[in-house]
Amino acid sequence: DSILNAKVMMMERISRRTALAAVSAVALVACGNGETTGTATKSGDDPAKIGHVIGSADAPVTVIEYASPTCPACKFFHDTVLPEIKEKYISTGQVRFIYREYPIHDIDVPAYAMALCAGDDKYFDVLDDIFEHQSGITDAARNGVLKAALVAIGERHGINGETAFDACMADESIRQRLKTTYDQAEKDGVDSTPTFIFDGEMSRFEGDIRSPEGFSAKLDSLLANAAGQ
């Protein structure tokens, strides 16, 4: 997929129904605007606060991830690398991890909208569910039944039924919220997913950091630098 084309089309598609039959039943518009885990931001907030945060605000190292819920490499990181990073670095107060939405496919927008609608304390639960069922969601989109697949996920997290799901999709506040994050991604130079920013340094998901050991080594280096300052 062309990221440049996605960039041009994203905000057009977020405010109207997509041309794809698979997504035609879901208006690509907003859902809730509450802060997620107490840290997600509203339009106009400090760019340093954009995203969904896990970990201590006082952690010496900050890692930002820009991701798409339908990106296989993002799923690989989420399933294979992140659990170890959470255990070793985030839960111990060494790393502050910020997740930022970066929609690159039509499916991503309603999926992220649903995660936002579920509420502050359920955002990452919905995200886990979406990653777990990534292949099923993409198959549903291909077969024209995406809305039914997303409704089923939403029901597991308190978005009860099609009416509630439609109400979520019709809340226009998500447009600005996703646009704010997407605009920040552009400023940060993001052109693929997942993309990471390690204490201000951007890195694609390449080389050593594709493994838990390599990602850990990167964090160990940053922590050593922070301790030496």
Side-chain angles (χ1 to χ4, degrees), residues 58-62 88-90 92-96 199 215-229:
D58 298 323
V61 170
T62 296
K88 291 175 60 178
Y89 299 96
I90 299 173
T92 58
Q94 299 180 83
V95 170
R96 180 174 180 250
D199 276 348
F215 208 98
S216 294
K218 176 69 174 178
L219 295 179
D220 288 339
S221 176
L222 292 170
L223 288 165
N225 289 340
Q229 291 177 357

Side-chain angles (χ1 to χ4, degrees), residues 1-10 102-105 182 190-193:
D1 294 82
S2 168
I3 300 300
L4 290 177
N5 287 341
K7 173 176 172 291
V8 171
M9 294 186 295
M10 180 229 179
Y102 189 67
I104 60 173
H105 302 124
Y182 200 86
V190 176
D191 63 2
S192 63
T193 57

Side-chain angles (χ1 to χ4, degrees), residues 40-57:
T41 60
K42 301 176 183 179
S43 172
D45 280 342
D46 183 345
K49 298 179 181 179
I50 293 172
H52 310 271
V53 180
I54 52 176
S56 172

Side-chain angles (χ1 to χ4, degrees), residues 41 44-51 64 66 98 100 180 184 187:
T41 60
D45 280 342
D46 183 345
K49 298 179 181 179
I50 293 172
I64 299 170
Y66 283 99
I98 303 175
R100 291 180 178 174
T180 297
Q184 186 61 45
K187 293 175 184 177

Side-chain angles (χ1 to χ4, degrees), residues 36-218:
T36 300
T37 320
T39 54
T41 60
K42 301 176 183 179
S43 172
D45 280 342
D46 183 345
K49 298 179 181 179
I50 293 172
H52 310 271
V53 180
I54 52 176
S56 172
D58 298 323
V61 170
T62 296
V63 177
I64 299 170
E65 179 192 11
Y66 283 99
S68 154
T70 54
C71 157
C74 298
K75 176 176 170 58
F76 177 83
F77 172 78
H78 185 89
D79 293 347
T80 306
V81 180
L82 185 57
E84 184 169 326
I85 301 309
K86 282 182 176 179
E87 181 179 354
K88 291 175 60 178
Y89 299 96
I90 299 173
S91 66
T92 58
Q94 299 180 83
V95 170
R96 180 174 180 250
F97 186 86
I98 303 175
Y99 184 93
R100 291 180 178 174
E101 300 98 344
Y102 189 67
I104 60 173
H105 302 124
D106 293 306
I107 304 170
D108 296 347
V109 177
Y112 274 142
M114 184 176 62
L116 292 168
C117 282
D120 301 353
D121 58 341
K122 297 179 181 179
Y123 178 87
F124 285 108
D125 292 337
V126 176
L127 195 64
D128 289 345
D129 206 335
I130 292 169
F131 275 123
E132 180 180 352
H133 297 94
Q134 185 184 86
S135 61
I137 291 169
T138 54
D139 286 345
R142 196 173 296 116
N143 295 321
V145 291
L146 175 61
K147 182 177 181 179
L150 293 181
V151 167
I153 292 174
E155 286 181 338
R156 293 196 284 270
H157 303 282
I159 301 173
N160 296 316
E162 189 171 332
T163 300
F165 181 85
D166 288 344
C168 170
M169 294 297 114
D171 183 347
E172 296 183 0
S173 62
I174 199 66
R175 295 190 210 175
Q176 186 59 52
R177 186 163 178 176
L178 287 180
K179 184 180 184 300
T180 297
T181 306
Y182 200 86
D183 287 348
Q184 186 61 45
E186 183 180 54
K187 293 175 184 177
D188 289 337
V190 176
D191 63 2
S192 63
T193 57
T195 289
F196 299 92
I197 299 177
F198 295 94
D199 276 348
E201 177 189 352
M202 191 178 77
S203 175
R204 295 184 178 88
F205 194 44
E206 299 173 342
D208 293 341
I209 67 168
R210 287 183 61 87
S211 70
E213 296 78 14
F215 208 98
S216 294
K218 176 69 174 178

